[in-house]
Amino acid sequence: MSTNKNLSPVEKIKAESDALRGTLKQSLHDDITGALREDDQSVIKFHGMYQQDDRDRREERSAKKLEWLYSYMVRLRLPGGFLTPEQWVGLHHIAGEHSTGVFKITTRQTIQLHGILKSHIKPTLQAFNTIHLDSIAACGDVNRNVVCGAHPKQSPVHEEVFAYADKLSKLALPKTKAYYEVWLNEKPLIDKKEEEDPLYQERYLPRKFKIALAIPPHNDVDVFTNDLGLIAIVEKGKLIGFNIAVGGGLGATHGNASTYPRLGSILGFVRGEENTLKAAYEVITIQRDHGNRSDRKLSRLKYTVDRMGVEAFKAELEKRCGFALEEAKPFEFNHRPDYYGWHQNHEKKWYYTVFSENGRILDDEQVAMKTALLEVAKTGKANFRFTCNQNVIISDIDPKDKKAIEAILEQFGIIAHTDKAGLVRKAAIACVAFNTCPLALAEAQRYLPTLIGKIEPLMEKHKIADDQISIRMTGCPNGCGRPYAAEIGFVGTAYGQYNMHLGGDRDGMRLNKKYKESLDESAILRELDSLFEAYSQKRKKGETFGDFAVREQWVSA
Ligand code: SRM
Ligand code: SF4
């Protein structure tokens, strides 16, 4: 067991929270402030929400001696990222009524709504409930949204893996009824035994926990960046089990060398559903019992794995499972971005992957994406699936309905918008950052589109425009846009400045390394101009930019 002598303050808040009820009811009734009581700001995360403020308006508010403009971000729990058309229509109206109206598709296959005022939280969650959606455990020190290969029903295995996402999500759902009491006005439990939680107990996990399921050869989920990565192994067209990888995670802190991004270590292969679920459960219990509860910067599973050692971790897992893992099976990833445009699945149904830059679904001067998707949803003839690349797939379209859906996509310019975007833009990811993220040091989703507009001409100049180099940007080193798993990663250090990382591979199997520190835009473009020139002139046939960067020793392997 871990020796957590000095528990972090959050540990006390969790343990004393009355199974995550905290004083949320009192906080909500306090009309004097738009904020919650301090402890409740931690508790509310377990209900899928964060207290934020509009950072663009901090100065103006302070000058007027007003408190910051507090509002809440709500993140849906959506294992596998699936919505029915009815849910889409419902969500459209909820977003319009209670939030900024923008659907933000996250890098974990779900939706966030921002800008919800305190008095609107309850109506928002109640409205979610009417369309069978909730935000339980979408944040907090628990298992988060379980993600899986998004491309719908490419094969029967895709369906099975999608079902696993749901099973894993249910397996690791906290047992507390607090969400139903606080937000949905359900009567308090008389017998608290009903919510006893053998997995999380009263202390929950030391930190957030993330699970992804990938289906080779597509690594759209970036499986190795998760605490627990499950890689589907298929033999003769049948899913036989999963390779298990543990200890992936990307968050780091500038100037704190004991924090680092890490890719998951493959422990072995586990066969069949019962053993897979058991192994996943026990990975979580090991983290619960051995994770660091003193220093939240060092509390993710990756540090537990490194502290215990991979072999000792595996031995502990086998002991808790009561069975041995088999040797890992061979697999190969060869693609990470989404497959845009029209495709047909194994049931002959059509699906269309829409390019939604950095996951922002709204109507703007370029394209009326939100209206278009509402119109598609209103037909009732398509489902929706989100991808970890921050896009949306319009899915399960019967061949007889394809024309009607296509006409809507044409009418609102979605097809032109998706076709027109360049390859690099379509593979890029940026996190939210300003104006809502309290941790942002620099812009990301509001800036990367502009920067890519300046990188594309450089790629054309060096005749590498048909090369889908992966470029990712985050506003701070926490890594929400997975920049350390990109060929070129930009990590914000201060407003307008980014560390530049190079040398990741294209498919998410190797992390990049820091190449230059705190570059502004002109320095970034100067660097890329000369790096692209060298790449264009000296690359071997088929060599990717990330591999070339390592071969040239711009960074070490
Ligand atoms: Fe994240 C914290 C946004 C995926 C690592 N992340 C945050 C917060 C909640 C800031 C905060 O703590 O107050 C950000 C809210 C911004 C906002 O205004 O919405 C935030 N993270 C996001 C999203 C929305 C980025 C996006 O543009 O899509 C992603 C939501 C995913 C979801 O639906 O659950 C998001 N975050 C990630 C990922 C990528 C992934 O999981 O595939 C990572 C890196 C992988 C990992 O977990 O290591 C990630 N977020 C972090 C961290 C660093 C954790 C660590 O181990 O150090 C933080 C900070 C923290 O937890 O203290 C963080
Ligand atoms: Fe915020 Fe940093 Fe995450 Fe970007 S990477 S959303 S700036 S915490």
Side-chain angles (χ1 to χ4, degrees):
M1 299 283 149
S2 61
T3 51
N4 287 298
K5 286 198 186 103
N6 304 309
L7 293 181
S8 78
V10 180
E11 291 302 320
K12 191 164 177 284
I13 295 173
K14 286 185 276 191
E16 294 176 1
S17 70
D18 185 19
L20 305 180
R21 288 166 181 83
T23 52
L24 280 171
K25 286 188 180 171
Q26 291 89 322
S27 269
L28 289 173
H29 281 122
D30 182 354
D31 297 331
I32 309 280
T33 168
L36 300 174
R37 293 178 180 185
E38 209 175 317
D39 287 2
D40 289 335
Q41 292 172 29
S42 294
V43 173
I44 202 172
K45 294 183 185 174
F46 293 79
H47 299 243
M49 278 160 275
Y50 285 81
Q51 180 178 309
Q52 305 185 318
D53 73 288
D54 185 343
R55 294 188 61 184
D56 289 344
R57 299 185 60 184
R58 271 187 192 175
E59 279 181 28
E60 168 209 322
R61 303 278 298 185
S62 298
K64 289 183 185 159
K65 303 213 168 1
L66 294 169
E67 77 171 7
W68 287 349
L69 190 53
Y70 292 114
S71 67
Y72 297 81
M73 172 269 272
V74 181
R75 189 182 283 166
L76 285 176
R77 181 175 65 90
L78 222 54
F82 178 87
L83 284 184
T84 63
E86 294 75 25
Q87 287 173 322
W88 186 284
V89 173
L91 207 52
H92 179 100
H93 295 305
I94 296 167
E97 202 171 327
H98 299 295
S99 76
T100 60
V102 178
F103 281 28
K104 159 70 190 172
I105 306 171
T106 75
T107 50
R108 294 195 69 75
Q109 221 172 26
T110 186
I111 285 281
Q112 285 182 181
L113 301 182
H114 289 92
I116 300 170
L117 297 177
K118 191 165 87 173
S119 57
H120 283 246
I121 303 177
K122 217 166 161 171
T124 303
L125 300 195
Q126 291 183 348
F128 283 165
N129 192 46
T130 62
I131 49 171
H132 311 293
L133 294 175
D134 65 66
S135 62
I136 301 170
C139 320
D141 296 345
V142 281
N143 175 52
R144 303 284 186 93
N145 200 43
V146 180
V147 300
C148 72
H151 284 254
K153 301 185 182 176
Q154 274 177 327
S155 70
V157 168
H158 284 71
E159 290 183 60
E160 269 189 84
V161 170
F162 176 73
Y164 263 101
D166 197 47
K167 286 173 198 159
L168 286 160
S169 177
K170 289 198 174 103
L171 180 78
L173 203 60
K175 298 273 184 286
T176 169
K177 298 284 175 267
Y179 184 92
Y180 300 93
E181 270 177 44
V182 176
W183 311 109
L184 307 179
N185 296 336
E186 284 192 7
K187 286 208 182 89
L189 281 181
I190 298 170
D191 184 2
K192 289 275 176 144
K193 278 211 171 95
E194 280 179 43
E195 61 177 9
E196 264 175 21
D197 199 329
L199 176 60
Y200 293 120
Q201 304 168 351
E202 283 177 357
R203 51 195 177 142
Y204 298 88
L205 298 181
R207 203 66 157 84
K208 59 175 75 167
F209 190 92
K210 298 182 176 180
I211 305 178
L213 300 127
I215 310 165
H218 199 191
N219 190 19
D220 54 340
V221 296
D222 252 323
V223 70
F224 291 109
T225 63
N226 285 263
D227 296 272
L228 171 60
L230 296 169
I231 299 143
I233 301 296
V234 179
E235 273 178 17
K236 296 190 185 134
K238 296 248 173 303
L239 178 69
I240 58 161
F242 296 88
N243 281 348
I244 287 200
V246 296
L250 298 182
T253 305
H254 289 313
N256 181 347
S258 55
T259 65
Y260 47 84
R262 184 185 192 283
L263 292 183
S265 309
I266 297 182
L267 298 183
F269 169 77
V270 62
R271 193 176 290 272
E273 180 174 317
E274 197 184 328
N275 284 1
T276 301
L277 296 181
K278 175 74 176 157
Y281 188 91
E282 296 301 352
V283 169
I284 302 175
T285 67
I286 298 177
Q287 166 65 352
R288 178 196 66 204
D289 297 340
H290 290 264
N292 183 328
R293 289 180 186 263
S294 313
D295 184 349
R296 288 181 65 80
K297 295 238 177 265
L298 302 177
S299 56
R300 289 293 291 276
L301 180 69
K302 60 184 173 183
Y303 301 113
T304 314
V305 170
D306 280 346
R307 200 161 21 82
M308 291 173 76
V310 174
E311 281 313 310
F313 190 96
K314 182 177 167 184
E316 179 67 24
L317 180 61
E318 290 179 332
K319 190 173 100 197
R320 289 184 185 218
C321 287
F323 58 81
L325 299 181
E326 294 176 38
E327 198 178 317
K329 304 270 181 200
F331 67 95
E332 190 197 3
F333 288 125
N334 61 21
H335 198 75
R336 201 162 43 155
D338 292 327
Y339 299 113
Y340 289 98
W342 283 112
H343 296 277
Q344 213 168 7
N345 75 20
H346 76 103
E347 292 173 330
K348 301 282 174 247
K349 299 231 170 155
W350 287 93
Y351 60 98
Y352 185 93
T353 306
V354 178
F355 170 56
S356 50
E357 192 157 26
N358 305 142
R360 285 163 59 75
I361 306 275
L362 70 165
D363 290 352
D364 62 18
E365 54 289 346
Q366 289 176 34
V367 63
M369 190 169 291
K370 201 171 164 216
T371 305
L373 293 174
L374 177 65
E375 291 305 315
V376 169
K378 284 202 300 208
T379 67
K381 292 181 167 135
N383 293 315
F384 297 86
R385 293 162 194 261
F386 302 111
T387 80
C388 293
N389 290 308
Q390 302 174 309
N391 292 305
V392 56
I393 302 175
I394 304 168
S395 72
D396 309 298
I397 303 165
D398 211 84
K400 70 174 172 20
D401 299 325
K402 184 181 172 226
K403 259 199 172 148
I405 304 288
E406 191 159 37
I408 297 173
L409 298 180
E410 292 278 11
Q411 183 194 346
F412 289 95
I414 300 297
I415 293 186
H417 168 79
T418 298
D419 289 350
K420 187 177 79 192
L423 282 176
V424 159
R425 191 179 291 278
K426 278 190 193 155
I429 294 181
C431 72
V432 179
F434 285 96
N435 62 328
T436 51
C437 180
L439 308 176
L441 305 169
E443 297 280 1
Q445 73 179 13
R446 298 201 298 197
Y447 171 55
L448 186 62
T450 309
L451 182 66
I452 289 192
K454 296 177 182 180
I455 292 175
E456 282 171 334
L458 288 179
M459 294 185 71
E460 274 163 31
K461 175 178 160 193
H462 296 296
K463 302 191 174 40
I464 53 168
D466 59 349
D467 201 328
Q468 195 163 33
I469 298 173
S470 71
I471 302 181
R472 296 175 174 183
M473 172 177 278
T474 54
C476 87
N478 282 317
C480 301
R482 299 188 290 270
Y484 310 111
E487 291 176 277
I488 305 177
F490 295 109
V491 178
T493 53
Y495 207 80
Q497 300 204 328
Y498 300 85
N499 286 347
M500 187 174 178
H501 292 242
L502 298 178
D505 72 318
R506 196 157 289 184
D507 303 319
M509 308 281 288
R510 183 181 67 230
L511 290 176
N512 54 29
K513 297 252 172 74
K514 191 163 46 179
Y515 166 69
K516 287 271 161 82
E517 281 189 2
S518 293
L519 304 181
D520 63 11
E521 181 180 282
S522 56
I524 288 172
L525 295 174
R526 256 196 325 274
E527 285 293 342
L528 288 181
D529 196 9
S530 70
L531 298 175
F532 287 164
E533 183 176 19
Y535 175 54
S536 164
Q537 288 175 0
K538 295 199 273 175
R539 66 179 158 165
K540 292 183 186 158
K541 193 159 181 283
E543 190 173 32
T544 59
F545 184 75
D547 290 350
F548 181 76
V550 171
R551 184 163 66 84
E552 283 293 295
Q553 297 182 346
W554 291 337
V555 289
S556 57

